[in-house]
Amino acid sequence: MFTTVRVAGDSMLPGLRPGDCLLVRLRAPVRPGDLVIARRPHGLIVKRAFRRTDGGWWLESDNQRAAGRQDSWDYGAVPEQDVLGRVLLRYWPVRRSAS
């Protein structure tokens, strides 16, 4: 099963930018280094799966200096059942300028 999500915020720069659209495979196996979608009390987040711990997945932002950034450094490991899927690809925008 697949779904799509749109990136909000700067926490995954430079790889993902606000407005990027992602194709996500739900319930896909996760490995360290994968980009994942997870459920948090304030909504869905896109983060990098850093490592699996006893409490779930440790998820980190690629851009630790982003204003308002929140990841496992703030709220700890995310329970396995709240990691909803693995990002397969960014499908929009099709191309980016070199800026």
Side-chain angles (χ1 to χ4, degrees), residues 2 4 8 10 17 19 25 34 45 50 53-54 64-66 69 86-87 98:
F2 299 91
T4 59
D10 295 333
R17 297 179 183 176
R25 182 173 178 198
D34 286 344
I45 58 170
F50 187 72
T53 69
D54 290 339
Q64 289 292 315
R65 294 184 176 159
R69 178 238 9 105
R86 185 177 73 222
V87 174

Side-chain angles (χ1 to χ4, degrees), residues 19-98:
D20 284 356
C21 295
L22 309 174
L23 178 65
V24 178
R25 182 173 178 198
L26 299 173
R27 296 183 301 276
V30 175
R31 297 177 308 263
D34 286 344
L35 290 177
V36 298
I37 303 302
R39 181 181 317 126
R40 297 301 305 146
H42 62 279
L44 297 179
I45 58 170
V46 179
K47 298 296 173 194
R48 189 164 306 278
F50 187 72
R51 69 178 181 271
R52 182 178 276 144
T53 69
D54 290 339
W57 276 97
W58 187 267
L59 304 180
E60 292 191 5
S61 301
D62 285 353
N63 179 8
Q64 289 292 315
R65 294 184 176 159
R69 178 238 9 105
Q70 286 193 350
D71 59 18
S72 288
W73 289 105
D74 302 296
Y75 45 71
V78 175
E80 188 91 28
Q81 67 269 17
D82 289 342
V83 178
L84 305 179
R86 185 177 73 222
V87 174
L88 297 179
L89 57 91
R90 179 184 54 80
Y91 67 89
W92 187 263
V94 176
R95 294 186 198 165
R96 288 194 182 138
S97 63

